[in-house]
Amino acid sequence: MPSPLPIPLLLLLSAFTVVAAGCSHRTLPEQAPVVDPLAAYRLGTQRALASCSEADPNSHSTSLLEHPPTGFGRCVANARTESTRKLRAALPTIHTPELRSALQAYHNAFLEALDAIPARPEESSPAHSLRFQYLVHKTSHAWTRFEMLES
């Protein structure tokens, strides 16, 4: 009768068996997930408002930081370019003129809010905060109007 193998050797052999089994099969290339252009547009605009408002070195929320973020102008320019590109991709999925008009109204409200991120030179912190909040709410209401027409 053959002598039993020591447990550490069995564990080592079983590990190689599992690794070899894992390497022996071919995997199919992963398909890119299907992205709804309208959802990508909406999510992109929301992220842009959040990230660009954080990138504003003159923002009242970042003014207390020792090293305020940089790249605000680039953030806004990229947000404008990307949102317009995503809007163009989403528009062909919209089939009624009313919905297209509502989506364009949302885009205009988004651009207005994006432009309102930096505080004006004469603007106090509370005034800037109220103005920006108003425009973000205006953007949310524009999206809600679009969704109501869509349903």
Side-chain angles (χ1 to χ4, degrees):
M1 179 166 190
S3 66
L5 295 172
I7 291 179
L9 184 58
L10 284 173
L11 291 174
L12 187 63
L13 288 172
S14 65
F16 281 117
T17 306
V18 170
V19 169
C23 294
S24 67
H25 72 281
R26 293 180 79 198
T27 58
L28 297 175
E30 289 189 33
Q31 292 181 340
V34 177
V35 178
D36 174 23
L38 185 60
Y41 168 70
R42 170 69 167 147
L43 184 59
T45 58
Q46 290 176 317
R47 284 183 178 165
L49 280 177
S51 62
C52 290
S53 63
E54 289 176 4
D56 178 16
N58 299 318
S59 167
H60 300 294
S61 63
T62 60
S63 61
L64 299 177
L65 297 176
E66 184 177 342
H67 301 289
T70 59
F72 170 70
R74 186 173 51 249
C75 183
V76 170
N78 287 344
R80 284 179 160 279
T81 302
E82 279 299 303
S83 66
T84 302
R85 183 184 63 76
K86 289 178 179 179
L87 175 66
R88 287 185 185 136
L91 280 174
T93 67
I94 308 300
H95 301 293
T96 67
E98 289 174 326
L99 279 173
R100 284 187 183 149
S101 177
L103 189 59
Q104 188 62 53
Y106 169 78
H107 187 69
N108 293 340
F110 160 73
L111 293 176
E112 187 179 2
L114 194 63
D115 290 340
I117 291 173
R120 295 174 182 156
E122 74 284 351
E123 195 169 39
S124 68
S125 177
H128 173 258
S129 180
L130 283 174
R131 181 173 61 86
F132 184 64
Q133 283 178 353
Y134 166 75
L135 292 171
V136 169
H137 285 295
K138 184 178 175 182
T139 302
S140 295
H141 288 289
W143 185 259
T144 301
R145 280 191 297 277
F146 171 78
E147 286 183 325
M148 289 172 60
L149 286 172
E150 189 179 37
S151 60

